Coordinates of all heavy atoms in Angstrom, one line a residue:
L10 N 0.8 -1.2 0.0 CA 0.0 0.0 0.0 C 0.9 1.3 0.0 O 2.0 1.3 0.5 CB -0.9 0.0 1.2 CG -1.9 -1.2 1.4 CD1 -2.6 -1.1 2.7 CD2 -2.9 -1.2 0.2
I11 N 0.3 2.3 -0.5 CA 0.9 3.7 -0.4 C -0.2 4.7 -0.2 O -1.4 4.4 -0.5 CB 1.7 4.0 -1.7 CG1 2.5 5.2 -1.5 CG2 0.8 4.2 -2.9 CD1 3.6 5.5 -2.5
Q12 N 0.1 5.8 0.4 CA -0.9 6.8 0.7 C -0.2 8.2 0.8 O 1.0 8.2 1.2 CB -1.7 6.5 1.9 CG -0.9 6.1 3.1 CD -0.5 7.3 4.0 OE1 -1.2 8.4 3.9 NE2 0.6 7.2 4.7
D13 N -0.9 9.3 0.5 CA -0.3 10.6 0.7 C -1.2 11.4 1.6 O -1.2 12.7 1.5 CB -0.2 11.3 -0.7 CG -1.5 11.4 -1.5 OD1 -2.5 11.0 -0.9 OD2 -1.4 11.8 -2.7
F14 N -1.9 10.7 2.5 CA -2.8 11.4 3.4 C -2.1 11.7 4.8 O -2.3 12.8 5.3 CB -4.0 10.5 3.7 CG -4.9 11.0 4.8 CD1 -5.8 12.1 4.6 CD2 -5.0 10.3 6.0 CE1 -6.6 12.5 5.6 CE2 -5.8 10.8 7.0 CZ -6.6 11.9 6.8
D15 N -1.4 10.8 5.3 CA -0.8 10.9 6.7 C 0.7 10.7 6.6 O 1.2 9.5 6.4 CB -1.5 9.9 7.6 CG -1.1 10.0 9.0 OD1 -0.1 10.7 9.3 OD2 -1.8 9.5 9.9
S16 N 1.4 11.7 6.7 CA 2.9 11.7 6.6 C 3.6 11.0 7.8 O 4.8 10.7 7.7 CB 3.5 13.1 6.5 OG 3.2 13.9 7.6
N17 N 2.8 10.6 8.8 CA 3.4 9.9 10.0 C 3.4 8.4 9.8 O 4.0 7.7 10.6 CB 2.6 10.3 11.2 CG 2.7 11.7 11.6 OD1 3.8 12.3 11.6 ND2 1.6 12.4 12.0
K18 N 2.8 8.0 8.7 CA 2.8 6.5 8.5 C 3.9 6.1 7.6 O 4.4 6.9 6.7 CB 1.4 6.1 7.8 CG 0.2 6.5 8.5 CD 0.1 5.8 9.9 CE -1.2 5.9 10.6 NZ -1.6 7.3 10.9
E19 N 4.4 4.9 7.8 CA 5.6 4.4 7.0 C 5.4 4.3 5.5 O 6.3 4.4 4.7 CB 6.0 3.0 7.5 CG 6.5 3.0 9.0 CD 7.0 1.6 9.4 OE1 6.9 0.7 8.6 OE2 7.4 1.5 10.5
N20 N 4.1 4.1 5.1 CA 3.9 3.9 3.7 C 3.5 5.3 3.0 O 2.9 5.3 1.9 CB 2.8 2.9 3.4 CG 1.4 3.3 4.0 OD1 1.3 4.3 4.7 ND2 0.4 2.5 3.8
Y21 N 3.8 6.4 3.6 CA 3.5 7.7 3.1 C 4.5 7.9 1.9 O 5.7 7.6 1.9 CB 3.7 8.8 4.1 CG 3.5 10.2 3.6 CD1 2.2 10.7 3.5 CD2 4.5 11.0 3.3 CE1 2.0 12.0 3.0 CE2 4.3 12.3 2.8 CZ 3.0 12.8 2.7 OH 2.8 14.0 2.2
G22 N 3.9 8.5 0.8 CA 4.7 8.8 -0.4 C 3.9 9.4 -1.5 O 2.7 9.6 -1.3
E23 N 4.6 9.7 -2.6 CA 3.9 10.3 -3.7 C 3.3 9.2 -4.6 O 4.0 8.3 -5.1 CB 4.9 11.1 -4.6 CG 4.2 11.9 -5.7 CD 5.2 12.8 -6.4 OE1 6.3 12.9 -6.0 OE2 4.8 13.3 -7.5
V24 N 2.0 9.2 -4.6 CA 1.3 8.1 -5.3 C 1.7 8.0 -6.8 O 1.9 6.9 -7.3 CB -0.2 8.2 -5.2 CG1 -1.0 7.2 -6.0 CG2 -0.7 8.1 -3.7
S25 N 1.8 9.1 -7.5 CA 2.1 9.1 -8.9 C 3.5 8.6 -9.2 O 3.7 8.1 -10.3 CB 1.9 10.5 -9.5 OG 2.8 11.4 -8.9
S26 N 4.4 8.6 -8.2 CA 5.7 8.1 -8.5 C 5.9 6.7 -8.0 O 7.0 6.1 -8.1 CB 6.7 9.0 -7.7 OG 6.7 10.3 -8.1
N27 N 4.8 6.0 -7.6 CA 4.9 4.7 -7.1 C 3.8 3.8 -7.6 O 2.9 3.3 -6.9 CB 4.8 4.7 -5.5 CG 6.1 5.2 -4.9 OD1 7.1 4.5 -4.7 ND2 6.0 6.5 -4.5
P28 N 3.7 3.7 -9.0 CA 2.7 2.9 -9.6 C 2.7 1.4 -9.2 O 1.8 0.7 -9.5 CB 2.9 3.1 -11.1 CG 4.4 3.4 -11.2 CD 4.7 4.2 -10.0
Q29 N 3.8 1.0 -8.6 CA 4.0 -0.4 -8.2 C 3.2 -0.7 -7.0 O 3.1 -1.9 -6.5 CB 5.4 -0.8 -8.0 CG 6.1 -0.3 -6.8 CD 6.5 1.2 -6.8 OE1 6.2 1.9 -7.8 NE2 7.2 1.6 -5.8
R30 N 2.6 0.3 -6.3 CA 1.9 0.1 -5.1 C 0.4 0.6 -5.2 O 0.1 1.3 -6.1 CB 2.6 0.9 -4.0 CG 3.9 0.2 -3.5 CD 4.5 0.9 -2.4 NE 5.5 -0.1 -1.8 CZ 5.3 -0.8 -0.7 NH1 4.1 -0.7 0.0 NH2 6.2 -1.6 -0.2
L31 N -0.4 0.1 -4.3 CA -1.8 0.3 -4.3 C -2.2 1.5 -3.4 O -1.9 1.5 -2.2 CB -2.6 -0.9 -3.9 CG -4.1 -0.9 -3.7 CD1 -4.8 -0.6 -5.0 CD2 -4.6 -2.2 -3.1
N32 N -2.8 2.5 -3.9 CA -3.2 3.7 -3.1 C -4.4 3.3 -2.3 O -5.6 3.1 -2.8 CB -3.6 4.9 -4.0 CG -4.0 6.1 -3.3 OD1 -3.9 6.2 -2.1 ND2 -4.4 7.1 -4.0
I33 N -4.3 3.3 -1.0 CA -5.3 2.8 -0.1 C -6.5 3.9 0.0 O -7.6 3.5 0.4 CB -4.8 2.6 1.4 CG1 -5.9 1.8 2.2 CG2 -4.4 3.8 2.0 CD1 -5.4 1.3 3.5
N34 N -6.3 5.1 -0.5 CA -7.3 6.1 -0.5 C -7.9 6.4 -1.8 O -8.7 7.3 -2.0 CB -6.7 7.4 0.1 CG -6.5 7.2 1.6 OD1 -7.3 6.8 2.4 ND2 -5.3 7.6 2.0
F35 N -7.6 5.6 -2.8 CA -8.3 5.7 -4.1 C -9.5 4.7 -4.1 O -9.3 3.5 -3.9 CB -7.4 5.4 -5.3 CG -8.2 5.5 -6.6 CD1 -8.5 6.7 -7.2 CD2 -8.6 4.3 -7.2 CE1 -9.2 6.8 -8.4 CE2 -9.3 4.4 -8.4 CZ -9.6 5.6 -9.0
I36 N -10.7 5.3 -4.2 CA -11.9 4.4 -4.2 C -12.8 4.8 -5.3 O -12.7 5.9 -5.8 CB -12.6 4.5 -2.9 CG1 -13.1 5.9 -2.6 CG2 -11.8 4.0 -1.7 CD1 -14.1 6.0 -1.4
N37 N -13.6 3.9 -5.7 CA -14.7 4.2 -6.6 C -15.9 4.7 -5.8 O -16.3 4.0 -4.8 CB -15.1 2.9 -7.4 CG -16.2 3.1 -8.4 OD1 -17.1 3.9 -8.2 ND2 -16.1 2.3 -9.5
E38 N -16.4 5.9 -6.1 CA -17.4 6.5 -5.3 C -18.6 5.6 -5.1 O -19.4 5.7 -4.1 CB -17.8 7.8 -5.9 CG -16.8 9.0 -5.7 CD -16.6 9.3 -4.3 OE1 -17.6 9.4 -3.5 OE2 -15.4 9.5 -3.9
K39 N -18.8 4.7 -6.1 CA -20.0 3.8 -6.0 C -19.8 2.7 -5.0 O -20.7 2.0 -4.5 CB -20.2 3.2 -7.4 CG -21.5 2.4 -7.5 CD -21.6 1.9 -9.0 CE -22.9 1.0 -9.1 NZ -23.0 0.5 -10.5
F40 N -18.5 2.4 -4.6 CA -18.2 1.3 -3.7 C -17.3 1.8 -2.6 O -16.1 1.6 -2.5 CB -17.4 0.2 -4.5 CG -18.2 -0.2 -5.8 CD1 -17.7 0.2 -7.0 CD2 -19.3 -1.0 -5.7 CE1 -18.4 -0.3 -8.2 CE2 -20.0 -1.4 -6.8 CZ -19.5 -1.0 -8.1
K41 N -17.9 2.5 -1.6 CA -17.2 3.1 -0.5 C -17.0 2.2 0.7 O -16.3 2.5 1.6 CB -17.9 4.4 -0.1 CG -17.8 5.5 -1.0 CD -18.5 6.7 -0.5 CE -18.3 7.9 -1.4 NZ -19.0 9.2 -0.8
G42 N -17.6 1.0 0.7 CA -17.6 0.2 1.9 C -16.4 -0.6 2.0 O -15.3 -0.4 1.5
K43 N -16.5 -1.7 2.9 CA -15.3 -2.6 3.1 C -14.8 -3.3 1.8 O -13.6 -3.5 1.6 CB -15.7 -3.7 4.1 CG -16.1 -3.2 5.5 CD -16.5 -4.3 6.4 CE -15.3 -5.1 6.9 NZ -15.6 -6.0 8.0
N44 N -15.8 -3.5 0.9 CA -15.5 -4.2 -0.3 C -15.0 -3.1 -1.4 O -15.6 -3.0 -2.4 CB -16.7 -4.9 -0.8 CG -16.5 -5.7 -2.1 OD1 -15.4 -6.0 -2.4 ND2 -17.5 -5.9 -2.9
W45 N -13.9 -2.5 -1.1 CA -13.5 -1.4 -1.9 C -12.7 -1.9 -3.2 O -12.6 -1.1 -4.2 CB -12.6 -0.4 -1.1 CG -11.3 -1.0 -0.6 CD1 -11.1 -2.0 0.2 CD2 -10.0 -0.5 -1.0 NE1 -9.8 -2.2 0.5 CE2 -9.0 -1.3 -0.2 CE3 -9.4 0.5 -1.8 CZ2 -7.7 -1.2 -0.3 CZ3 -8.1 0.7 -1.8 CH2 -7.2 -0.2 -1.1
L46 N -12.2 -3.1 -3.1 CA -11.4 -3.6 -4.2 C -12.2 -4.6 -5.1 O -12.1 -4.5 -6.3 CB -10.2 -4.3 -3.7 CG -9.1 -3.5 -3.0 CD1 -8.0 -4.3 -2.4 CD2 -8.6 -2.4 -3.9
H47 N -12.9 -5.5 -4.5 CA -13.7 -6.5 -5.2 C -12.8 -7.2 -6.3 O -13.1 -7.0 -7.5 CB -15.0 -5.9 -5.8 CG -15.9 -7.0 -6.2 ND1 -17.2 -7.1 -5.6 CD2 -15.9 -7.9 -7.2 CE1 -17.8 -8.1 -6.2 NE2 -17.1 -8.6 -7.2
I48 N -11.9 -8.0 -5.8 CA -11.1 -8.8 -6.8 C -12.0 -9.9 -7.2 O -12.6 -10.6 -6.4 CB -9.8 -9.3 -6.1 CG1 -9.1 -8.2 -5.4 CG2 -9.0 -10.0 -7.1 CD1 -8.5 -7.1 -6.3
N49 N -12.1 -10.1 -8.6 CA -13.1 -11.1 -9.1 C -12.4 -12.2 -9.9 O -13.1 -13.1 -10.3 CB -14.2 -10.4 -9.9 CG -13.6 -9.6 -11.1 OD1 -12.5 -9.9 -11.6 ND2 -14.4 -8.6 -11.4
S50 N -11.1 -12.2 -10.1 CA -10.5 -13.3 -10.8 C -9.0 -13.3 -10.5 O -8.3 -12.3 -10.2 CB -10.7 -13.2 -12.3 OG -9.9 -12.3 -12.9
I51 N -8.4 -14.5 -10.6 CA -7.0 -14.7 -10.5 C -6.6 -15.7 -11.6 O -7.2 -16.8 -11.7 CB -6.6 -15.2 -9.1 CG1 -5.1 -15.5 -9.0 CG2 -7.4 -16.4 -8.7 CD1 -4.6 -15.9 -7.6
Q52 N -5.7 -15.4 -12.4 CA -5.2 -16.3 -13.5 C -3.7 -16.3 -13.4 O -3.0 -15.5 -12.9 CB -5.7 -15.8 -14.8 CG -7.2 -15.7 -15.0 CD -7.8 -17.0 -15.2 OE1 -7.7 -17.7 -16.2 NE2 -8.6 -17.5 -14.2
Y53 N -3.1 -17.3 -14.1 CA -1.7 -17.6 -13.9 C -1.0 -18.0 -15.2 O -1.6 -18.7 -16.0 CB -1.4 -18.7 -12.9 CG 0.0 -19.2 -12.8 CD1 0.9 -18.4 -12.1 CD2 0.4 -20.4 -13.3 CE1 2.2 -18.8 -12.0 CE2 1.7 -20.8 -13.1 CZ 2.6 -20.0 -12.5 OH 3.9 -20.5 -12.3
D54 N 0.2 -17.5 -15.5 CA 0.9 -17.8 -16.7 C 2.2 -18.5 -16.2 O 3.1 -17.9 -15.6 CB 1.3 -16.6 -17.5 CG 2.0 -16.9 -18.8 OD1 1.4 -17.2 -19.8 OD2 3.3 -17.0 -18.8
A55 N 2.3 -19.8 -16.6 CA 3.4 -20.6 -16.1 C 4.8 -20.2 -16.8 O 5.8 -20.3 -16.1 CB 3.2 -22.1 -16.4
T56 N 4.7 -19.8 -18.0 CA 6.0 -19.4 -18.7 C 6.6 -18.2 -18.0 O 7.8 -18.2 -17.8 CB 5.6 -19.1 -20.2 OG1 5.0 -20.2 -20.8 CG2 6.9 -18.7 -20.9
L57 N 5.8 -17.2 -17.7 CA 6.4 -16.0 -17.0 C 6.4 -16.2 -15.5 O 7.1 -15.4 -14.9 CB 5.5 -14.8 -17.4 CG 5.5 -14.4 -18.9 CD1 4.5 -13.3 -19.1 CD2 6.8 -14.1 -19.4

């Protein structure tokens, strides 16, 4: 995770410079509850 809300937290940083991490404060306005991510599939490539 990364966030630019609270500078006292260890994962504080510039979101735009860290695309490898998930911004915990980016949400879809339609889905504000606990289910903010709703992961719906996982697939795997053996070659890579």
Side-chain angles (χ1 to χ4, degrees):
L10 301 174
I11 192 168
Q12 51 85 27
D13 55 8
F14 170 74
D15 188 342
S16 60
N17 294 316
K18 303 295 189 302
E19 290 184 2
N20 61 356
Y21 180 80
E23 186 176 355
V24 172
S25 62
S26 299
N27 290 276
Q29 77 281 6
R30 287 184 162 259
L31 175 63
N32 181 6
I33 193 173
N34 289 312
F35 177 78
I36 61 171
N37 184 324
E38 287 295 318
K39 187 178 178 181
F40 307 107
K41 290 184 176 181
K43 298 181 73 172
N44 181 24
W45 65 298
L46 296 175
H47 193 114
I48 309 297
N49 56 28
S50 77
I51 175 174
Q52 300 284 290
Y53 174 72
D54 183 86
T56 301
L57 299 175

